[in-house]
């Protein structure tokens, strides 16, 4: 994505100087280009998420910001100052590692005190600040435990307290919830977001889980092969993806091939989608934007057969085979009419809101 | 009920690989090479014997040899010298071995390979050969003196060989690999993300070394120090060859008592004292290791 794209999507926050600015960072490992002209800014107090599939360079970018890696070219600015020459231990950047990396030979209190000790802080001040940090993450009373005596969630909170006690300018989190079970993960995501917001800290957060990104972030940077594909708020990313890649990666999408004519693509049910493109296009249809109806009712976009259905909590997901062997995915609330539908049933599909569809150039 | 015949059941039991059975061969070997000789040693040390033509003809219980040995000033100085030598060797092996292990930790794959080869290769060479090499290097007309004289730093050869320092140099070189190997074992298991976390929290390289790597290496240090101490406390080759024959340590003393003066009981007592003092020092090392690794024994959740 272009430089202009990065800037345009930061409108609103763009007046303030960014806390973190990455300009055209390039990092190669041998012949492999892992970061490719990667540019990004994080504003004061925002939670910015790097979202992308495995191997797209999220961790590499984070490690460059932390100083564990040096980019081959490009700039990394923190508060407007070039940080590349600054050694790791002098950057005001706190990292929460995926594995937590707690010191196994130190108690919880000593883990949290570690950074203060390295800065030769007076003992009395260390004691009060450690106490406050542990209270922030609700771990009061765990001071004398060792990391091996804590649950995964508690270990993670120690890792956070250990970094927060130093009041860093930027907090970096690399898939911090990966090791937690699904339920705890949900709770921790909310807790973490509240905590970061309460402290007003600027955070760059890495995940390959799109739901997590949508839950946690103020803005999301979708990465693809070492580049930022799109940077925007969760709403922008979800509702107005700028490429089929983003549309597909965030909130699984159906793509329907159509033809654009005079700024519009006609859908089979008579509605139409606005587009700047002309000629063959692919139209993004979100699964929740498709409605299931009984066959032969109102004007349907497609008729098809339910091939597969899956419970997702209060929702039901269907895979529906339409003419030409194409599969479309639809999601609906599990109300009475829908619950009766089963594999093999014939249904017709309609588009709920054509304005929520986006057309992309053909693949 | 098990209806198999007894010999089949016995066979199953022995070869099932459970219980005490897998340890049986080791127990037999240990009994033959360690327990029985130790019994003989004890019986010799605590008795008066009369030897005729290499055969013990009479033996009766007595604490005479032990009492004499404990009161003998020669024993005091010899054991003092032995312990000092062994502790000095252990100290220098730790001092030189830890940086090598640290290099192994931070080095790339090639550095690691080179360190491993350089550590293991000397072990494959006999200690006696290596000690003779030191005679060539440290001798009056040896390499060190040659270079120093060529550089004009000294006018006459230094007396290095046949001094206690020559013994220490030889001892450290011989035992260094024994120190490095357990340290490398610890280092290769070390989680480098802890070092990154430490740096991220503001520690310098030295701070990380001091507060993270060193405490986590204590088990390796303990093992290495114990091995080096035991080996250097009980060796007689190096002191004999590099100390010029007049460097008496406990092991050389036993050698002389048994081989030259044929005082078996005296030799046995010396050996027992050697073993007992060695165990005391090892217990001390173990205690220090224990103190520094308390975190490994906290109740797991
Ligand atoms: N030190 C390294 N040496 C060589 N290649 C590396 C190194 N670190 C990362 N890579 C490569 O760079 C690419 C990106 O790695 P990175 O860890 O940044 O991915 P990621 O986006 O964090 O993926 P994941 O979601 O799986 O953690 C991968 O192809 C990886 O193999
Ligand atoms: Mg990663």
């Amino acid at each position: 994505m272009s430089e202009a794209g990065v800037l345009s999507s930061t409108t609103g926050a763009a007046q303030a100087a960014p806390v973190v600015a990455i300009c055209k960072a390039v990092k190669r490992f041998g012949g492999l280009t892992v970061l490719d002209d990667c540019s990004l800014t994080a504003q004061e107090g925002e939670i910015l998420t790097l979202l992308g599939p495995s191997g797209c360079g999220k961790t590499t970018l984070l490690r460059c910001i932390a100083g564990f890696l040096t980019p081959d070219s490009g700039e990394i600015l923190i508060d407007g100052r070039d940080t590349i020459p600054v050694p790791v231990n002098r950057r005001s950047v706190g990292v929460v590692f995926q594995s937590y990396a707690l010191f196994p030979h130190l108690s919880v209190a000593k883990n949290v005190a570690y950074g203060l000790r390295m800065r030769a802080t007076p003992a009395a001040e260390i004691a009060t600040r450690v106490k406050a940090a542990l209270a922030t993450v609700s771990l009061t009373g765990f001071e004398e435990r060792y990391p091996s005596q804590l649950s995964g969630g508690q270990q993670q909170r120690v890792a956070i307290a250990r970094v927060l006690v130093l009041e860093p300018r930027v907090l970096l989190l690399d898939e911090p919830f990966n090791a937690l079970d699904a339920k705890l993960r949900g709770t921790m995501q909310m807790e973490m977001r509240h905590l970061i917001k309460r402290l007003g800290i600027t955070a760059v957060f890495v995940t390959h889980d799109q739901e997590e990104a949508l839950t946690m972030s103020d803005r999301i940077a979708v990465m693809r092969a070492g580049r930022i594909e799109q940077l925007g708020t969760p709403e922008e990313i979800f509702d107005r993806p700028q490429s089929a890649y983003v549309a597909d990666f965030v909130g699984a999408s159906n793509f329907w091939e159509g033809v654009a004519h005079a700024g519009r693509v006609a859908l089979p049910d008579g509605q139409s989608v606005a587009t700047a493109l002309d000629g063959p296009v692919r139209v993004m249809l979100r699964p929740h934007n498709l409605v299931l109806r009984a066959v032969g009712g109102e004007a349907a976009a497609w008729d098809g057969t339910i091939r597969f259905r899956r419970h997702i909590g209060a929702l039901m997901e269907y895979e529906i085979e339409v003419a030409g062997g194409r599969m479309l995915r639809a999601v609906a609330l599990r109300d009475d009419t829908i619950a009766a539908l089963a594999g093999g049933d014939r249904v017709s599909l309609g588009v709920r809101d054509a304005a929520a569809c986006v057309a992309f150039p053909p693949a | 009920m098990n209806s198999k015949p007894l010999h089949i059941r016995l066979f199953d039991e022995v070869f099932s690989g459970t219980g005490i059975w897998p340890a049986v061969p080791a127990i037999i070997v240990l009994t033959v090479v360690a327990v029985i000789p130790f019994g003989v040693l004890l019986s010799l040390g605590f008795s008066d014997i009369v030897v005729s033509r290499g055969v013990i003809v009479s033996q009766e219980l007595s604490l005479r040899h032990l009492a004499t040995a404990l009161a003998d000033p020669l024993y005091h100085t010899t054991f003092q010298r032995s312990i000092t030598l062994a502790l000095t060797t252990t100290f220098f092996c730790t001092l030189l071995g830890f940086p090598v292990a640290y290099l192994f930790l931070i080095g790339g794959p090639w550095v690691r390979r080179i360190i491993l080869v350089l550590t293991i290769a000397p072990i494959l060479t006999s200690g006696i050969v290596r000690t003779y090499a030191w005679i060539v290097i440290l001798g009056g007309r040896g390499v060190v003196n040659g270079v120093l004289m060529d550089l004009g730093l000294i006018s006459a050869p230094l007396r290095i060989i046949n001094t206690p320092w020559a013994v220490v140099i030889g001892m450290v070189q011989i035992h260094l690999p024994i120190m490095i190997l357990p340290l490398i074992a610890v280092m290769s298991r070390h989680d480098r993300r802890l070092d990154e976390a430490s740096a991220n929290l503001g520690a310098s390289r030295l701070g990380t070394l001091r507060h993270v790597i060193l405490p986590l290496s204590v088990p390796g240090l303990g093992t290495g120090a114990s091995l080096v101490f035991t080996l250097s406390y009980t060796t007689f080759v190096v002191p004999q060859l590099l100390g010029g024959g007049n460097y008496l340590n406990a092991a050389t003393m036993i050698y002389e008592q048994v081989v030259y003066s044929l005082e078996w009981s005296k030799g046995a007592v010396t050996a027992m004292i050697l073993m007992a003092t060695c165990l005391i020092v090892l217990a001390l090392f173990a205690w220090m290791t224990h103190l520094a690794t308390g975190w490994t024994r906290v109740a797991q959740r």
Side-chain angles (χ1 to χ4, degrees), chain B residues 65-83:
Chain B
H65 296 290
L66 185 63
T68 336
L70 292 180
D72 188 346
L74 179 66
Y75 272 79
H76 297 171
T77 49
T78 307
F79 272 94
Q80 222 166 39
R81 190 181 300 125
S82 296
I83 290 197

Side-chain angles (χ1 to χ4, degrees), chain B residues 104 180-190:
Chain B
F104 181 89
I180 294 177
L181 285 179
L183 278 179
I184 282 182
V186 170
M187 295 297 183
S188 49
R189 268 181 279 124
H190 182 80

Side-chain angles (χ1 to χ4, degrees), chain A residues 63 66 68 88-91 93-95 97 99-106 111 114-119 146-152 155 162-163 166, chain B residues 190-216 292-301:
Chain A
R63 290 173 62 80
F68 300 134
V88 182
N89 59 335
R90 302 209 186 286
R91 296 192 185 191
V93 171
V95 181
F97 291 81
S99 54
Y100 314 144
L102 296 178
F103 304 121
H105 61 296
L106 298 180
N111 261 284
Y114 190 88
L116 295 171
R117 266 172 66 209
M118 293 302 127
R119 285 165 174 70
Y146 283 87
S148 63
Q149 296 171 297
L150 300 177
S151 72
Q155 288 184 27
R162 183 174 75 169
V163 166
L166 300 174
Chain B
H190 182 80
D191 182 1
R192 300 262 21 225
R193 272 167 303 193
L194 297 182
D195 306 347
E196 288 184 348
S198 169
N200 179 252
L201 293 169
S204 61
R205 275 170 187 270
L206 203 66
T208 302
L209 183 62
R210 161 79 186 77
H211 296 286
V212 177
I213 300 173
L214 188 62
L216 291 175
T293 54
W295 61 272
T296 58
R297 291 181 301 275
V298 295
Q300 302 287 310
R301 68 189 160 90

Side-chain angles (χ1 to χ4, degrees), chain A residues 13 16-20 42-47 79 169 197 200-202 218:
Chain A
V19 177
V20 183
Q43 303 298 329
E44 181 83 52
E46 85 170 334
I47 301 180
D79 284 329
R169 268 307 266 153
K197 285 288 145 196
I201 220 163
T202 307
D218 294 318

Side-chain angles (χ1 to χ4, degrees), chain A residues 59 98 174-175 206:
Chain A
T59 299
Q98 184 177 331
D174 191 356
E175 312 206 17
V206 162

Side-chain angles (χ1 to χ4, degrees), chain B residues 126-290:
Chain B
S126 144
I128 299 178
V129 173
R130 280 190 282 159
T131 311
Y132 273 110
W134 278 111
I135 296 181
V136 175
I137 295 168
L138 301 174
R141 293 164 189 282
V143 181
V144 172
N145 274 318
V147 169
L148 288 178
M149 281 183 15
D150 285 350
L151 290 175
L153 293 173
I154 52 171
S155 53
L158 290 176
R159 205 174 87 90
I160 310 174
I161 193 90
N162 300 353
T163 65
W165 283 110
V167 178
V168 169
I169 292 173
M171 293 280 265
V172 169
Q173 195 269 332
I174 301 265
H175 295 113
L176 192 53
I178 308 296
M179 186 75 207
I180 294 177
L181 285 179
L183 278 179
I184 282 182
V186 170
M187 295 297 183
S188 49
R189 268 181 279 124
H190 182 80
D191 182 1
R192 300 262 21 225
R193 272 167 303 193
L194 297 182
D195 306 347
E196 288 184 348
S198 169
N200 179 252
L201 293 169
S204 61
R205 275 170 187 270
L206 203 66
T208 302
L209 183 62
R210 161 79 186 77
H211 296 286
V212 177
I213 300 173
L214 188 62
L216 291 175
S217 312
V218 166
L221 282 173
T223 311
S226 302
L227 287 172
V228 169
F229 180 83
T230 310
L231 291 174
S232 57
Y233 189 47
T234 55
T235 184
F236 63 92
V237 173
V238 183
Q240 192 88 314
L241 294 180
L242 295 180
N246 52 15
Y247 190 97
L248 193 65
N249 77 342
T252 36
M253 189 173 176
I254 298 170
Y255 184 74
E256 290 187 355
Q257 287 165 341
V258 174
V259 175
Y260 292 127
S261 36
L262 295 176
E263 297 165 297
W264 294 359
S265 292
K266 221 171 171 179
V269 161
T270 318
M272 273 155 40
I273 298 173
L274 182 70
M275 196 184 284
T277 43
C278 187
L279 286 178
I280 291 171
V281 176
L282 289 186
L284 214 66
F285 283 178
W287 178 67
M288 292 195 294
T289 312
H290 183 90

